[in-house]
Amino acid sequence: MADVAVSAEAKGGSISRREFLYYIWGASIALYAAQFSGLLIWFLLPRFREGEFGGRFIISMEELPEVNAEPVNVPAGRFWLVNLDTTQPNELMKKAPDETEEIVGVAAIYKVCTHLGCIYAWTEANNRFECPCHGSKYRLDGRRIESPAPRTLDRFRMEFLDADRNPIPDTLSEDVNDFYAPVRIPDNAAFISVDTGDRKMGPSQDLLCSFTNECP
Ligand code: FES
């Protein structure tokens, strides 16, 4: 016992090499555990909240545009809502010669031009979307009228909800050839849910101006 007391006193405040390695090992474990916990929390937290771009947007049916009327702008979600029906054609929306199926239903169209990413706008005087950067033009449903845009405007996935905000069966956007088709409005629809985290790129289709020989 006397030897031990003398030895401890002789060492004073210094630590042995073995103790030092233990401390380093313990600190490494603690650091690793902290990093793992942080990653787990980051992974479990939702990335996007409802009402933020990247998340879901719930919109009342009262906000929906009339059939083949000017689109409704949803700036926070970076999309336009359109209500299409080529069985009731007008200046804003009518079938092109290569379209055999009627285009009927609601779509949520991404507000970024498919050419180089500018923000285009609805031009009331011309009844179409027009991009200020290089002049691309699009029909109400997003199909190209004039280039240089390489394809139709992109669309977000959407579905209709009832008054209790429950999804209405068979109203989720249908994936047709890797593009979201417009969704027909069900009788009991009270809200539209648009998922801005789920986007499909528009297809390349012939320019609408080519059918009327009006391409610049
Ligand atoms: S970015 Fe729209 S036409 Fe070029």
Side-chain angles (χ1 to χ4, degrees):
M1 291 296 288
D3 286 342
V4 172
V6 169
S7 172
E9 192 175 322
K11 285 180 181 172
S14 64
I15 59 172
S16 69
R17 176 185 168 81
R18 176 173 292 184
E19 286 173 323
F20 177 74
L21 290 175
Y22 280 150
Y23 288 142
I24 292 293
W25 182 73
S28 300
I29 295 287
L31 189 61
Y32 176 76
Q35 283 180 333
F36 180 77
S37 304
L39 276 175
L40 190 65
I41 291 168
W42 178 83
F43 183 75
L44 291 176
L45 282 176
R47 308 281 165 81
F48 302 106
R49 285 184 226 129
E50 191 167 296
E52 278 183 5
F53 182 71
R56 280 198 323 155
F57 285 75
I58 309 293
I59 295 153
S60 166
M61 288 296 288
E62 288 158 17
E63 308 288 326
L64 191 67
E66 297 292 321
V67 168
N68 295 343
E70 291 183 1
V72 164
N73 186 5
V74 184
R78 303 181 199 170
F79 63 86
W80 298 93
L81 271 181
V82 294
N83 188 358
L84 313 164
D85 189 349
T86 52
T87 67
Q88 306 175 48
N90 65 4
E91 286 305 304
L92 278 66
M93 188 65 202
K94 62 181 74 153
K95 265 198 318 185
D98 64 341
E99 291 167 335
T100 52
E101 303 284 326
E102 299 293 348
I103 301 168
V104 181
V106 176
I109 301 176
Y110 190 32
K111 289 179 72 173
V112 173
C113 181
T114 59
H115 180 222
L116 292 176
C118 285
I119 304 297
Y120 61 87
W122 179 257
T123 303
E124 191 178 335
N126 297 326
N127 288 331
R128 61 192 181 192
F129 294 111
E130 296 183 354
C131 183
C133 291
H134 312 99
S136 290
K137 298 173 180 63
Y138 304 90
R139 191 174 59 181
L140 182 64
D141 67 333
R143 181 172 175 176
R144 288 179 309 164
I145 297 171
E146 290 178 18
S147 53
R151 55 188 167 79
T152 295
L153 295 168
D154 301 348
R155 289 183 190 160
F156 292 117
R157 195 171 213 188
M158 51 156 289
E159 68 182 331
F160 287 100
L161 311 179
D162 63 20
D164 296 322
R165 300 196 174 208
N166 295 316
I168 299 173
D170 303 322
T171 65
L172 196 57
S173 299
E174 192 183 348
D175 184 338
V176 178
N177 298 324
D178 206 27
F179 188 50
Y180 287 138
V183 184
R184 287 178 184 261
I185 304 172
D187 290 341
N188 54 339
F191 298 96
I192 305 163
S193 171
V194 177
D195 184 355
T196 57
D198 190 340
R199 174 166 58 97
K200 290 278 188 195
M201 295 202 313
S204 296
Q205 296 167 282
D206 289 339
L207 293 170
L208 291 174
C209 63
S210 67
F211 297 114
T212 51
N213 294 321
E214 290 174 343
C215 293

